[in-house]
Amino acid sequence: MDWIQQIVNGISLGSIYALIALGYTMVYGIIKLINFAHGDVFMVGAFVGFYAIESWKLSFIPALLVAMGISAVLGVVIERVAYKRLRNATRIAALITAIGVSLFIEYGTIYIRGAQPEAFPSVLPDQIFKVFGASISSQSIFILLISIILMLILQFIVHRTKIGKAMRAVSYDAEAARLMGINVDRTISATFAIGSALAGAAGVAFGVYYTKIEPLMGVIPGLKAFVAAVLGGIGIIPGAMIGGLVLGIVETMVSAFGYSPWRDAAAFVILILILIFRPSGILGKNTREKV
Amino acid sequence: MKKIMGFSIFVLLSAVSYGIVQSLISAGMLNQFYSNTLIFIAINVILAASLHLVIGITGQFSIGHAGFLAVGAYISAIFTMKLHLPFVPALAAGGIVAALAGLLVGIPSLRLKGDYLAIATLGFAEIIRVVFLNIDYVGGAAGMQVSHFTSWSYAFVSLFVTLLVIMNFTNSTHGRACIAIRENEIAADAMGINTTYYKVVAFAIGSFFAGIAGGLYAHNFYIIQPSNFGFLKSFDILIFVVLGGLGSLSGAVFAAILMTIVSTFLQGYPETRMIIYSVVLVIVMLYRPQGLMGTKEITAYLGKWTGAKGEDAYGK
């Protein structure tokens, strides 16, 4: 029965989307900006992981941590250089800036190292488990485990630590949080750092899973992760996880039924349907616009 | 009175610029490269003007314009290459089908606002691209062979009509309703403006001209492929409008001309071109988020120089 196999594949892919979507949703929740450059932080994470394994001969976990660290720094730099000045600008200006930053990272990477793809080294044990007749690779289980651990850590940070409390407060009302003595700038930087670290981890996981990385790889997964965030209810952390998983499973199913060329369209069809029928997402509440 | 004068100056200027270029081409003084660049500028100006109507005038942040370009390109190419019809009906068909696609996209997605609308239009453009990618009739990923029909005359006439329609639309009651929606949608709604209707109309007209541009674009090359109409193409068009000024037609036109010339010279260095594009965009957004010309038209500046009272397209 390959149903189980498809579902496990879908969950592994979905957990990669969920990791990226978490960063989107956190940033959106806190400064109401679609951070287009997030998909490119994911790409940079994948390349850092690649060079860490290939050139510095690190094993998987240290490489993952290095990729997460560098991605976090990159996220904070992006926020400081490009977004900080735009806190009070129009939404359109912020969105265009984000697209500009995204293109800059993509083509900057191509400028530095060329556009040729790299084969990601296989660092995880590649075994096939037979479960109820389905063959499941150990890599997908590994990816799933790493995602779950990272999401648990994130939940802990957001709900149990001081910085998490500050993040929730700023996302609820930045002005009131500032009046209560919360350092809003530092909180926003922390949000970018955490979100980008998760994207970096997703990049490494993606490299392991698909074995091919290239400078423009962040565009489509970035957009799909945004779809996942909207699907679950943008700004809501558990929503991003659910949205990512749902999207991953739907995509795998579309491929499994023999429509794989239409896979990329599936995510956008879902996006448009959800925007039309339930714009606040699966977990979101409806809010009326005030004049 | 002033409007009529402005209009005659516009017609006169276009006739003169068309005449000069056409006689240069006829006399053989412009080589293939330059005339192609001119056609390319005309196509990009049409695209910029059509997106200007959606983003600049109506304030609907659509970033999937390449989707309508693709519809126009493929439909007109099917008309000329598969059905063997003449070029002009094919161009018109491309425009009309693109406008229908615009209606189809506009009616559901224009209920959305801001970022959500941007993402939905982006999603629609991607869906259109994937559809063409999977239809074997138009060649799939390998693309479709197209004959070279676009000449300077076709490009110029289309450009002229586009600018004329968009200028007149902007100055009409409908255009003012659209501007009201841009300024404050809820207030416009409260004043009795049927916001959905005007947004859809602006969207359909914008898509129509994008479709015309698509027809010209397809017949200016020898092959069209779905990969020509991706996110980056939408983004190229967006840059014209944003850089020129959100709400300024002449700004969008100048930005389109300027950026086309710059990118023609940087053709051999695509990475450098994109890096320059993105840096320029970020810097403009950080220091002048309303774009180079804001909502002002070139006539406002001309009026200052001649001592007359300045007047932009909206009579401000």
Side-chain angles (χ1 to χ4, degrees):
Chain A
M1 186 58 206
D2 60 13
W3 271 103
I4 303 169
Q5 191 176 336
Q6 295 299 348
I7 287 179
V8 172
N9 287 345
I11 292 176
S12 315
L13 176 63
S15 58
I16 294 175
Y17 288 152
L19 282 181
I20 315 172
L22 284 170
Y24 263 116
T25 237
M26 286 165 70
V27 167
Y28 194 90
I30 210 157
I31 55 170
K32 298 281 175 287
L33 165 77
I34 299 175
N35 181 11
F36 261 100
H38 198 65
D40 303 301
V41 173
F42 159 82
M43 176 272 290
V44 170
F47 271 99
V48 171
F50 169 78
Y51 288 118
I53 293 166
E54 228 20 19
S55 313
W56 308 336
K57 307 289 175 217
L58 293 179
S59 61
F60 179 72
I61 297 293
L64 185 75
L65 292 176
V66 169
M68 285 174 72
I70 293 182
S71 302
V73 172
L74 179 66
V76 173
V77 169
I78 291 172
E79 196 270 329
R80 283 288 155 91
V81 173
Y83 300 155
K84 198 173 175 188
R85 302 175 58 99
L86 290 164
R87 295 270 167 80
N88 299 316
T90 58
R91 302 280 285 274
I92 289 181
L95 190 61
I96 293 169
T97 309
I99 298 175
V101 171
S102 156
L103 287 177
F104 181 75
I105 298 175
E106 283 161 18
Y107 288 90
T109 310
I110 293 181
Y111 190 82
I112 292 168
R113 65 164 293 285
Q116 76 280 6
E118 297 283 358
F120 209 89
S122 57
V123 276
L124 291 177
D126 195 8
Q127 276 180 333
I128 303 289
F129 295 110
K130 293 274 182 197
V131 186
F132 303 115
S135 42
I136 296 165
S137 75
S138 55
Q139 290 186 345
S140 23
I141 295 172
F142 244 117
I143 288 168
L144 192 57
L145 277 180
I146 289 163
S147 313
I148 291 172
I149 292 168
L150 288 176
M151 288 177 201
L152 288 176
I153 294 174
L154 179 69
Q155 279 292 343
F156 177 78
I157 292 174
V158 171
H159 290 286
R160 293 277 184 278
T161 62
K162 209 171 156 188
I163 190 77
K165 205 172 197 174
M167 278 160 60
R168 282 182 288 143
V170 172
S171 122
Y172 193 76
D173 187 337
E175 270 314 303
R178 197 191 303 274
L179 294 176
M180 298 303 288
I182 292 172
N183 187 339
V184 173
D185 284 339
R186 216 179 64 195
T187 312
I188 292 177
S189 293
T191 311
F192 267 87
I194 295 170
S196 305
L198 292 175
V204 177
F206 188 91
V208 170
Y209 197 63
Y210 282 100
T211 66
K212 192 187 123 188
I213 56 172
E214 44 132 359
L216 296 180
M217 67 187 260
V219 180
I220 293 294
L223 291 176
K224 284 183 184 165
F226 177 75
V227 174
V230 173
L231 182 62
I234 195 149
I236 305 166
I237 287 176
M241 295 178 201
I242 294 173
L245 291 177
V246 170
L247 194 64
I249 292 172
V250 168
E251 263 192 25
T252 319
M253 288 300 158
V254 170
S255 303
F257 284 119
Y259 297 104
S260 47
W262 297 92
R263 213 181 68 167
D264 285 352
F268 294 108
V269 172
I270 293 179
L271 171 74
I272 286 159
L273 290 179
I274 200 97
L275 284 179
I276 291 169
F277 292 110
R278 200 178 157 77
S280 48
I282 296 173
L283 295 187
K285 283 194 268 312
N286 256 325
T287 47
R288 298 264 333 149
E289 180 139 356
K290 276 175 274 181
V291 181
Chain B
M1 192 59 210
K2 198 156 199 166
K3 287 244 163 71
I4 299 169
M5 243 181 69
F7 177 73
S8 8
I9 291 174
F10 170 68
V11 173
L12 201 75
L13 271 180
S14 350
V16 169
S17 50
Y18 170 73
I20 291 173
V21 173
Q22 186 57 38
S23 49
L24 281 177
I25 291 173
S26 313
M29 285 171 75
L30 280 181
N31 63 21
Q32 193 76 41
F33 175 76
Y34 286 110
S35 62
N36 248 334
T37 308
L38 280 171
I39 291 174
F40 212 54
I41 288 177
I43 294 173
N44 279 341
V45 172
I46 296 175
L47 286 170
S50 65
L51 190 63
H52 153 82
L53 183 64
V54 178
I55 298 186
I57 297 297
T58 322
Q60 301 306 306
F61 197 55
S62 154
I63 54 175
H65 219 52
F68 304 115
L69 181 73
V71 172
Y74 270 99
I75 296 293
S76 63
I78 289 171
F79 267 66
T80 54
M81 303 313 295
K82 304 271 179 184
L83 307 176
H84 304 289
L85 289 169
F87 183 46
V88 174
L91 259 189
I96 290 166
V97 177
L100 291 177
L103 281 180
L104 195 74
V105 174
I107 291 169
S109 61
L110 287 175
R111 286 172 48 193
L112 307 166
K113 286 196 186 66
D115 303 345
Y116 287 104
L117 176 67
I119 296 297
T121 48
L122 178 68
F124 266 116
E126 277 298 303
I127 292 172
I128 290 173
R129 196 177 63 82
V130 174
V131 167
F132 284 124
L133 194 63
N134 286 299
I135 297 178
D136 288 332
Y137 184 66
V138 294
M144 189 175 171
Q145 299 259 329
V146 186
S147 302
H148 184 99
F149 284 133
T150 306
S151 69
W152 165 246
S153 302
Y154 282 124
F156 187 85
V157 171
S158 313
L159 170 61
F160 179 73
V161 172
T162 308
L163 291 182
L164 205 61
V165 169
I166 287 177
M167 276 187 337
N168 281 338
F169 181 84
T170 309
N171 283 321
S172 71
T173 322
H174 306 273
R176 283 172 195 280
C178 290
I179 293 167
I181 294 170
R182 173 188 77 191
E183 295 299 332
N184 189 332
E185 192 170 336
I186 298 168
D189 201 20
M191 296 298 288
I193 292 172
N194 185 347
T195 51
T196 314
Y197 170 77
Y198 283 110
K199 284 195 285 185
V200 171
V201 166
F203 210 70
I205 296 176
S207 318
F208 175 80
F209 287 115
I212 299 279
L216 295 168
Y217 181 87
H219 294 86
N220 195 30
F221 292 107
Y222 298 95
I223 193 160
I224 46 171
Q225 291 171 317
S227 57
N228 296 348
F229 305 105
F231 177 48
L232 274 182
K233 189 69 201 170
S234 296
F235 193 64
D236 272 354
I237 309 167
L238 182 66
I239 290 177
F240 302 146
V241 177
V242 170
L243 197 65
L246 291 159
S248 166
L249 179 61
S250 35
V253 170
F254 284 127
I257 296 173
L258 187 76
M259 294 308 268
T260 314
I261 293 172
V262 168
S263 62
T264 309
F265 281 111
L266 289 174
Q267 219 155 31
Y269 315 94
E271 294 88 41
T272 322
R273 182 179 84 105
M274 291 314 294
I275 291 173
I276 292 174
Y277 262 40
S278 54
V279 170
V280 165
L281 202 71
V282 171
I283 290 174
V284 168
M285 279 301 114
L286 289 182
Y287 295 100
R288 200 173 160 77
Q290 71 272 44
L292 295 181
M293 293 181 60
T295 55
K296 280 210 176 74
E297 295 293 346
I298 188 76
T299 45
Y301 296 99
L302 291 178
K304 231 179 259 167
W305 294 336
T306 54
K309 194 167 160 282
E311 184 183 25
D312 69 8
Y314 323 121
K316 268 189 269 186

